[in-house]
Amino acid sequence: MFYKSVASVMEWSLDAEEASEETRSRVVESKYQIVGGSCRHMFECTTDQAIQELCAAMNSVSHFRTLFEMNVGDLSKQFVNRLHGKYRIGNQVYRTFISRFVARELAEKLGESFVRKIEQLPDMTRNPSLRGILFEMLFFA
């Protein structure tokens, strides 16, 4: 039932009646690599729309520190709140990039020095998820 309600924004617009559960899972996992933890991008946008919005947000970044200032809404002149996510493990709150797509694109665009500067920010390397993403970013930088 749920898949039927979001099938129109899933990649390839699979027929909700015909697609197998395995195919549906692959489509959702594939889209997750692009949109990550953004429910809005996952369930309200097509993959192409999400890529366009995320690229616009990445292009609005004037300084790498802006990504982790966590300014949102009226406080932000940029779309950086679309680029990061907040996760909880127990009582600990971690911040990271919203998806591997965003991390890879920024690494390719801004290079190794960008990744190294993120590693130097306070508390960034305590985040186990971000440590893995930073390692992957170094590969693409």
Side-chain angles (χ1 to χ4, degrees), residues 118-128 130-131 134:
I118 294 172
E119 289 176 326
Q120 294 171 4
L121 292 173
D123 299 328
M124 287 298 128
T125 55
R126 289 185 337 159
N127 177 346
L130 185 57
R131 277 197 313 261
L134 289 171

Side-chain angles (χ1 to χ4, degrees), residues 81-109:
N81 57 330
R82 296 181 185 176
L83 300 178
H84 53 69
K86 181 170 75 171
Y87 302 92
R88 293 180 191 274
I89 300 176
N91 291 331
Q92 186 66 42
V93 174
Y94 296 105
R95 300 188 189 284
T96 187
F97 293 105
I98 195 69
S99 70
R100 283 184 157 72
F101 168 75
V102 168
R104 185 183 69 236
E105 290 290 313
L106 288 172
E108 287 176 5
K109 181 178 179 178

